[in-house]
Amino acid sequence: METTSTSNPTIGKPKRKSYVPKLTSTLSQEISDHTGIILEGYQSDELAGKISDLIFFPLYVLKWIGYSILGMIGLDIALIYFEDAWTMIIIYLTLGMALALINGLLVGMLVLIWRIRSDVQAIMRLSLELTAQVMDDYRKKSTKGKVALAFQQVFRAVVFVVIVPLATQSIAKRLPVMGGIFSRIFVGIIGLTVKKSNQLVETAYLKEPQNLPETQSTASEMEAEELRSETSHKIERGFSKVIGVSTRIVALPIWLIFGLVLTLSILLLSMFNAILG
């Protein structure tokens, strides 16, 4: 499995902003106390660049939110196009435009949450690679005083201590206006995915050649490669399902707000038509 090179994992670097600071601090301290490894030391410009290359959704924010807002405003105007009571039209346009703006923003966010799924899946793959590297670094250290580490435990720490701060930093740089909102959405989806992926990440760890049971480690290189490939496909499908569930959970409040604002828009239009009627 390809890993990300780092300079010195035991030397701390300046911390990036985290949207889950208490969790990040707790996980970092836990790994440091148990292993002596400072996870912040794995943050590097190379890793930051790789993460930035994996996050595509900021490229579509203005496009999809802009299209959604224009579509809602266009619909708002079309609904009153044939009316001739200009006073009421101005009142409706003022209120209707505000609701259309909110609805357009919400629709754009829902589209982008759907688009974020592939970015999260790529980040999960990178997190698995980095976790395997951390485990390998720990394995190479002196065995004196070593404690058993669960791969899931290290994976969760790597995601929130190393990956999430770099990812949110990249999003904030590319989205100066709405970076905070989408960073929180992104972190929310990642958090739910990590929580529901314990079995998947353990399977990923066990598929590595050095971690195979002795009965399998003697298999031919071709058989081992086939096993890794098959397991990799299962993990990809598993992550896809978990991320799908996570995005739906994160999107649910936005759907509820969208439904409420849409209902208000319909009520406003009904009241407008009743007055003119």
Side-chain angles (χ1 to χ4, degrees):
M1 178 180 287
E2 182 185 354
T3 58
T4 304
S5 62
T6 59
S7 53
N8 189 339
T10 61
I11 297 178
K13 296 184 179 181
K15 291 185 178 180
R16 269 72 169 189
K17 179 179 179 181
S18 171
Y19 283 86
V20 280
K22 186 175 181 180
L23 176 62
T24 299
S25 176
T26 300
L27 292 173
S28 176
Q29 190 64 46
E30 184 179 273
I31 295 299
S32 177
D33 290 345
H34 288 172
T35 69
I37 292 176
I38 298 175
L39 287 177
E40 286 86 353
Y42 285 86
Q43 292 179 337
S44 65
D45 292 339
E46 180 185 351
L47 181 61
K50 182 175 287 189
I51 290 172
S52 182
D53 290 342
L54 294 176
I55 301 176
F56 288 99
F57 79 86
L59 301 174
Y60 304 98
V61 168
L62 292 179
K63 173 183 174 181
W64 284 110
I65 289 182
Y67 284 170
S68 300
I69 290 175
L70 289 175
M72 287 294 177
I73 291 176
L75 178 62
D76 189 54
I77 294 173
L79 289 173
I80 60 166
Y81 180 75
F82 297 104
E83 301 293 348
D84 54 7
W86 286 103
T87 302
M88 292 304 299
I89 287 175
I90 292 172
I91 294 173
Y92 176 79
L93 277 177
T94 302
L95 296 175
M97 286 292 185
L99 293 173
L101 185 67
I102 296 171
N103 269 333
L105 178 62
L106 293 172
V107 169
M109 290 178 69
L110 289 169
V111 172
L112 285 166
I113 286 175
W114 178 81
R115 176 64 184 80
I116 280 173
R117 293 186 302 176
S118 59
D119 294 358
V120 173
Q121 187 149 356
I123 290 297
M124 289 297 98
R125 284 195 297 266
L126 180 62
S127 299
L128 285 173
E129 293 176 10
L130 187 56
T131 304
Q133 179 179 333
V134 173
M135 295 293 287
D136 188 52
D137 289 343
Y138 181 58
R139 188 188 296 115
K140 290 175 181 176
K141 292 181 66 175
S142 170
T143 57
K144 185 179 180 181
K146 267 192 177 181
V147 296
L149 282 180
F151 190 81
Q152 301 99 312
Q153 175 189 9
V154 181
F155 175 74
R156 186 164 179 257
V158 164
V159 169
F160 286 107
V161 177
V162 183
I163 301 295
V164 163
L166 293 176
T168 53
Q169 182 184 57
S170 173
I171 294 169
K173 281 183 179 179
R174 296 157 75 182
L175 296 174
V177 177
M178 300 183 67
I181 295 174
F182 282 104
S183 289
R184 284 174 171 80
I185 291 173
F186 192 72
V187 172
I189 294 172
I190 285 179
L192 286 169
T193 301
V194 170
K195 186 176 180 180
K196 296 174 180 294
S197 299
N198 282 343
Q199 187 58 48
L200 283 173
V201 298
E202 185 67 12
T203 301
Y205 178 59
L206 292 175
K207 81 185 180 72
E208 290 300 300
Q210 67 271 24
N211 302 317
L212 289 173
E214 187 176 349
T215 54
Q216 295 183 21
S217 61
T218 55
S220 68
E221 181 61 31
M222 183 177 295
E223 290 173 332
E225 184 60 37
E226 288 176 358
L227 176 62
R228 286 195 294 269
S229 178
E230 181 183 349
T231 309
S232 179
H233 287 310
K234 288 181 181 178
I235 292 168
E236 288 290 318
R237 290 194 298 270
F239 266 135
S240 182
K241 291 179 182 178
V242 170
I243 292 168
V245 172
S246 299
T247 52
R248 286 193 287 272
I249 292 173
V250 170
L252 181 59
I254 299 176
W255 275 112
L256 294 175
I257 297 172
F258 172 69
L260 176 62
V261 177
L262 186 61
T263 301
L264 291 175
S265 301
I266 294 171
L267 290 174
L268 179 63
L269 180 61
S270 301
M271 183 178 67
F272 177 74
N273 288 331
I275 292 173
L276 290 181

